Amino acid sequence: MVRSIVSVLLLCFVVQIAHGAQNNIDGVRIWPSPDNTRVVFDMKSAPEFTYFTLKNPLRLVIDFNNTSDAAKLSGIENSGDLIKKLRYSTPKNKSSARIVVELNRNTKPSLFAVTPDGAYGHRLVVDLPDSAPKPTLSASTSTGSVVIDDSTSARDRDIIVAIDAGHGGHDPGSIGPAGTYEKHITLSIAKKLEDMINRERGMRAIMTRGDDYYVSPNRRPEIAREKKADLLISIHADAFSQPEPRGGSVWVLSMRRADTELGRWLEKSERHSELLGGAAEVINDKSSERYLTETILGLSMDHSMATSHDLGNKVVEELKQVTSLHKRKPQAASFAVLTAPDIPSILVEVGFISNPQEEKNLNWSKYRERLANAMFNATKRYFKQVPPDGTLWAQEKANNRTHKVRSGESLSLLAQRYNVKVSSIKAANDLSSDVVRVGQVLNIPRT
């Protein structure tokens, strides 16, 4: 009798331990992007899982071992159309949970577990590449989308600026003391900058991400290259373990990382033509191709880095009128988003989101607009001085004359002398007022 009671108690104890060890799904998040949808299962502990796919209809089936099926799957926010819905199905055994992901299109899923990091605990990540990705629009405005035909003539083309809003989707970036996500701040500033650029004649903006989804750091410069961008501006908000640091900064690619990236590009011979453009057509000597390629890419990298430094200095000049500066000169670092050897690239840290006052400022729409305007003004000033070949601005600069202002001269006097409008001179020199100073060199348009 005693032995039976002990056996029952022992069985109950084992069952209780097993029940206590059972894993839980604490939450489910879906992050659609134009070419991929990511599903994240937040877990109580490290997930043990298997999966398989089914057809007719298309489904992904995930079996979670020793896991409760109490998590709610209905009402999960999903702005994409690859996933039809998530639901439970009959599990393999009573201690498991089976989740079925119903799909609208074919995909090749990739599943992997992620250990705790920062604000997130254990996770199971499901990546679903879209077999019918949505086309990425090359430009958009706040009131609607504008599709640009890239097949048009390159002559008198727009200057293309790629704007990269840092982080996104499952990657929130830094989180401020009041709970502000860096990814939301960067996207807001990026959209304001996009709107300013698209309203400027002769300029056009493209976004590496236009919504709250994740794009890998290495993919971002590739998007800029695919859209033939003349410049890449990546927008971030800094953070530190202490709340005191504050101020904006501008970063460019360090030479150490640049040399490494150049070597990696040279190793990928199949991408030479993509980088070199028309120059690749005249490289016929296979024995010397690598050396010629290295020379051309080296010159391209030198030009890109020089441009990045020049533009970076102008951004610093503009930023200091909006916010304090953490660094008063462009700094060099090995950020992956800056590694395109053929596209000038800068990374702008708009402030420390870990600083309570700067977090408060960054949550103010007008302040974000001022930051975007600082980047826009710097970009416009740079390209007015050195517009890329074949652009409308390059053509207009070639048609302009220059005049060095002498004592007693005014814009109205110069307009009469050259038979042009005062407004035309102001536009050609990006002047906001009629005031000119002695010694100032002005571009005088011919029309």
Side-chain angles (χ1 to χ4, degrees):
M1 179 69 177
V2 173
R3 182 178 296 177
S4 298
I5 293 173
V6 170
S7 299
V8 171
L9 291 174
L10 183 61
L11 179 62
C12 291
F13 181 68
V14 170
V15 170
Q16 188 174 16
I17 291 176
H19 180 74
Q22 189 177 52
N23 205 346
N24 291 327
I25 300 172
D26 295 329
V28 184
R29 292 167 285 141
I30 300 176
W31 300 103
S33 70
D35 55 3
N36 184 82
T37 294
R38 171 167 285 190
V39 184
V40 180
F41 294 91
D42 293 306
M43 310 294 298
K44 176 183 175 183
S45 57
E48 297 178 14
F49 65 95
T50 58
Y51 70 95
F52 57 93
T53 57
L54 295 171
K55 296 182 178 180
N56 300 320
L58 293 168
R59 288 156 289 165
L60 167 65
V61 181
I62 309 171
D63 286 312
F64 292 86
N65 296 331
N66 192 34
T67 300
S68 168
D69 60 359
K72 186 179 179 181
L73 298 182
S74 59
I76 298 172
E77 184 178 351
N78 177 24
S79 58
D81 62 354
L82 177 60
I83 295 176
K84 186 182 298 182
K85 73 174 182 176
L86 275 65
R87 60 176 174 83
Y88 287 111
S89 184
T90 304
K92 293 188 297 183
N93 53 61
K94 293 183 179 180
S95 64
S96 299
R98 170 170 285 184
I99 292 181
V100 178
V101 183
E102 295 187 3
L103 301 164
N104 286 316
R105 292 184 294 281
N106 195 22
T107 183
K108 295 181 179 179
S110 172
L111 285 74
F112 56 93
V114 180
T115 56
D117 178 24
Y120 294 102
H122 288 282
R123 284 152 289 166
L124 175 67
V125 176
V126 182
D127 276 337
L128 303 169
D130 201 331
S131 57
K134 296 178 181 179
T136 302
L137 299 179
S138 53
S140 65
T141 66
S142 58
T143 56
S145 298
V146 180
V147 179
I148 304 296
D149 183 2
D150 289 331
S151 64
T152 56
S153 171
R155 184 180 178 183
D156 298 347
R157 65 173 178 84
D158 290 337
I159 294 170
I160 302 173
V161 180
I163 307 171
D164 173 53
H167 308 281
H170 65 277
D171 174 18
S174 300
I175 302 175
T180 304
Y181 283 8
E182 179 184 359
K183 66 174 184 177
H184 297 320
I185 298 297
T186 61
L187 183 60
S188 174
I189 296 172
K191 287 185 174 181
K192 292 178 186 295
L193 177 57
E194 176 195 27
D195 186 54
M196 293 174 187
I197 288 175
N198 283 337
R199 283 191 275 110
E200 182 69 28
R201 178 175 172 270
M203 296 183 74
R204 173 157 58 94
I206 63 107
M207 302 276 279
T208 60
R209 72 175 180 97
D211 211 332
D212 186 17
Y213 54 80
Y214 178 76
V215 180
S216 72
N218 291 319
R219 173 63 182 148
R220 296 169 189 249
E222 289 180 359
I223 294 172
R225 179 176 297 106
E226 289 168 3
K227 297 300 180 181
K228 299 179 174 59
D230 298 291
L231 171 69
L232 171 63
I233 301 176
S234 187
I235 303 171
H236 289 255
D238 230 329
F240 194 65
S241 56
Q242 301 298 322
E244 290 80 13
R246 61 181 300 153
S249 56
V250 179
W251 298 80
V252 297
L253 184 63
S254 71
M255 278 306 300
R256 179 174 297 179
R257 180 63 183 262
D259 291 340
T260 302
E261 284 300 317
L262 180 57
R264 290 173 183 167
W265 274 101
L266 291 172
E267 290 171 0
K268 299 177 181 178
S269 58
E270 72 277 7
R271 300 184 75 170
H272 286 176
S273 295
E274 180 184 348
L275 260 182
L276 299 175
E281 298 176 3
V282 300
I283 300 177
N284 297 316
D285 185 354
K286 296 297 182 182
S287 63
S288 62
E289 179 179 343
R290 178 179 177 84
Y291 303 105
L292 181 55
T293 301
E294 184 173 358
T295 300
I296 295 174
L297 284 182
L299 291 172
S300 176
M301 172 92 53
D302 290 343
H303 174 265
S304 294
M305 294 186 69
T307 298
S308 301
H309 270 282
D310 289 348
L311 177 61
N313 280 315
K314 286 181 170 54
V315 173
V316 167
E317 292 172 7
E318 296 287 343
L319 276 180
K320 69 182 181 183
Q321 301 178 44
V322 179
T323 184
S324 60
L325 294 177
H326 186 66
K327 300 289 184 180
R328 295 187 174 275
K329 293 182 179 179
Q331 304 295 300
S334 54
F335 296 115
V337 74
L338 300 178
T339 54
D342 54 332
I343 301 176
S345 307
I346 63 171
L347 186 148
V348 181
E349 297 278 7
V350 294
F352 278 80
I353 201 170
S354 53
N355 180 289
Q357 183 58 51
E358 291 206 333
E359 180 188 20
K360 184 177 179 181
N361 291 342
L362 290 170
N363 276 309
W364 184 26
S365 178
K366 190 65 178 180
Y367 183 77
R368 296 196 300 272
E369 185 175 345
R370 290 172 182 170
L371 291 169
N373 192 58
M375 292 179 235
F376 170 70
N377 287 339
T379 302
K380 184 177 176 180
R381 282 173 52 203
Y382 178 80
F383 282 125
K384 281 292 185 181
Q385 292 177 355
V386 282
D389 291 341
T391 61
L392 176 64
W393 286 14
Q395 180 63 31
E396 289 179 344
K397 185 174 182 179
N399 291 335
N400 288 349
R401 299 154 289 184
T402 60
H403 179 92
K404 190 172 184 179
V405 179
R406 302 183 185 91
S407 178
E409 291 182 330
S410 64
L411 281 184
S412 57
L413 182 64
L414 294 177
Q416 287 183 345
R417 180 180 302 173
Y418 289 101
N419 195 27
V420 295
K421 295 179 180 179
V422 170
S423 59
S424 298
I425 299 178
K426 291 174 66 175
N429 295 275
D430 195 23
L431 299 176
S432 57
S433 72
D434 292 342
V435 178
V436 291
R437 65 181 184 277
V438 175
Q440 184 176 2
V441 178
L442 299 174
N443 292 315
I444 309 297
R446 298 187 183 276
T447 56

